[in-house]
Amino acid sequence: IIGLVNVLTTNGTVEQRVKIIRNESIGQYSWDTSPSDINSGYGVNEWSESDLMKLLNPDHEENKDKNKEGQEILINNSLYWTGGSGNCYNGQKNGTTSCNFESNGMKAESKQMIEDVIWNTGSIDNDKYASSENRFVTHFYQYERSSNNGKICNQGNNCNDNVERKTTWQGKIALMYPSDYGYATSGGSIEGKTKCLTISLKNWTTNDECNSNDWFYHSNEYIQTLSPINATDNATSKFDIDKYQVRGDTCSNHRETYPSLYLKSTVQIQDNENNGSSSNPYLIN
């Protein structure tokens, strides 16, 4: 459970919903990729049109594209949503791999519990990210909800796509935010939570108590987040959690994928003795 979060619902009201994230990665896939003549094959950092969005969500069951060999294939066609198997993107220049979600994809009863909401996809300016005083958790929370989009460049081989950039997306399943990771720390005896929230998320590598006491900390994993980066030299960057710190990464790199979603207000915890721990998790209906 990430938390009880204020979200904009599809009826235009701001309401509280429980936000959760999958405990295990569903595999390593590209956030987005592209043919070699579009952004040099590094992908486009717009979530509403991204390959990963089409893998996780419904209504893309017939999604087709050309692989490296120029063959048109069904790919990232809502396979996680349908619990199917087929082709997924996992590399630069439309690199592909086989993927199978028959055991870890969405189930019919789970789909009924997911709220369709407006996700914030605001961006952080790369110049600000280069400055340590602009990389606290509170800063990322503001960037994610800003009116900045992921593209400020206007020329070059890594900035030649024609995809419209947006700062919100309506849908069911996405990824965690950088700020979700930052707020998940409890800190330790030396670096308490309050102190950790005033340390640059890029510098957590040298502040072990902040990341080692973060309940979402996964050692030696590169984990994708929802947030793009706007840079003057490319339109292909987004944020990852690099083992323990937040860092920039290229969209086409295949990274660990942990789906995140909001539960409907009608979802309830079953009346049982489960306490929400990893060994005794809540059961919901």
Side-chain angles (χ1 to χ4, degrees):
I1 300 175
I2 289 178
L4 186 62
V5 183
N6 290 328
V7 295
L8 180 63
T9 64
T10 55
N11 61 16
T13 61
V14 176
E15 302 177 15
Q16 288 191 326
R17 294 289 185 271
V18 174
K19 184 179 184 181
I20 63 175
I21 189 167
R22 186 178 173 87
N23 192 54
E24 301 86 17
S25 170
I26 62 170
Q28 296 185 353
Y29 304 105
S30 296
W31 200 96
D32 193 69
T33 184
S34 56
S36 58
D37 60 337
I38 302 296
N39 292 351
S40 298
Y42 292 117
V44 178
N45 63 355
E46 170 53 41
W47 177 257
S48 67
E49 299 291 333
S50 72
D51 294 323
L52 189 57
M53 183 279 292
K54 295 173 183 176
L55 175 66
L56 300 177
N57 289 274
D59 303 326
H60 304 283
E61 287 82 356
E62 300 303 318
N63 186 62
K64 296 180 181 180
D65 206 344
K66 291 183 178 180
N67 60 17
K68 283 185 175 182
E69 290 71 37
Q71 301 167 320
E72 187 174 70
I73 57 174
L74 282 170
I75 189 164
N76 278 45
N77 50 319
S78 300
L79 291 176
Y80 178 69
W81 180 263
T82 61
S85 61
N87 304 296
C88 292
Y89 286 114
N90 80 329
Q92 184 189 4
K93 302 177 182 179
N94 285 355
T96 64
T97 187
S98 60
C99 50
N100 189 324
F101 302 101
E102 293 175 359
S103 63
N104 63 355
M106 295 299 298
K107 305 297 187 291
E109 59 272 23
S110 300
K111 296 175 185 178
Q112 302 302 315
M113 301 182 189
I114 303 174
E115 186 77 277
D116 204 19
V117 304
I118 309 300
W119 296 72
N120 295 292
T121 56
S123 173
I124 177 176
D125 187 291
N126 194 51
D127 291 338
K128 285 187 176 180
Y129 180 65
S131 174
S132 61
E133 63 266 23
N134 292 310
R135 299 191 302 233
F136 301 156
V137 179
T138 52
H139 293 144
F140 274 95
Y141 184 86
Q142 294 168 357
Y143 301 143
E144 294 152 8
R145 289 152 184 79
S146 74
S147 59
N148 300 321
N149 64 48
K151 186 177 182 181
I152 59 173
C153 57
N154 54 30
Q155 61 183 352
N157 292 335
N158 294 343
C159 187
N160 65 357
D161 72 86
N162 295 314
V163 177
E164 179 186 359
R165 297 310 198 276
K166 302 175 182 178
T167 56
T168 60
W169 169 75
Q170 179 182 328
K172 297 181 179 296
I173 302 179
L175 303 170
M176 70 189 303
Y177 292 114
S179 65
D180 289 333
Y181 180 70
Y183 281 123
T185 188
S186 61
S189 58
I190 299 175
E191 303 287 1
K193 179 167 185 170
T194 301
K195 179 64 176 178
C196 289
L197 298 185
T198 63
I199 298 173
S200 164
L201 283 176
K202 192 177 181 181
N203 293 342
W204 275 22
T205 178
T206 57
N207 294 278
D208 189 64
E209 283 198 330
C210 296
N211 61 65
S212 63
N213 291 293
D214 191 303
W215 64 260
F216 195 77
Y217 171 58
H218 291 264
S219 177
N220 298 320
E221 285 191 5
Y222 291 81
I223 299 169
Q224 313 200 63
T225 79
L226 184 59
S227 299
I229 304 172
N230 59 44
T232 57
D233 60 349
N234 76 83
T236 67
S237 300
K238 45 81 178 180
F239 283 108
D240 282 350
I241 299 163
D242 173 5
K243 303 178 183 178
Y244 31 64
Q245 62 179 339
V246 173
R247 64 183 285 273
D249 192 26
T250 301
C251 288
S252 60
N253 288 339
H254 52 283
R255 303 302 190 195
E256 299 293 348
T257 304
Y258 288 80
S260 180
L261 56 87
Y262 294 90
L263 295 174
K264 289 182 177 179
S265 59
T266 54
V267 174
Q268 296 182 336
I269 297 174
Q270 292 182 8
D271 185 15
N272 54 40
E273 298 180 355
N274 296 26
N275 61 12
S277 65
S278 59
S279 60
N280 192 26
Y282 293 128
L283 299 179
I284 58 177
N285 58 19

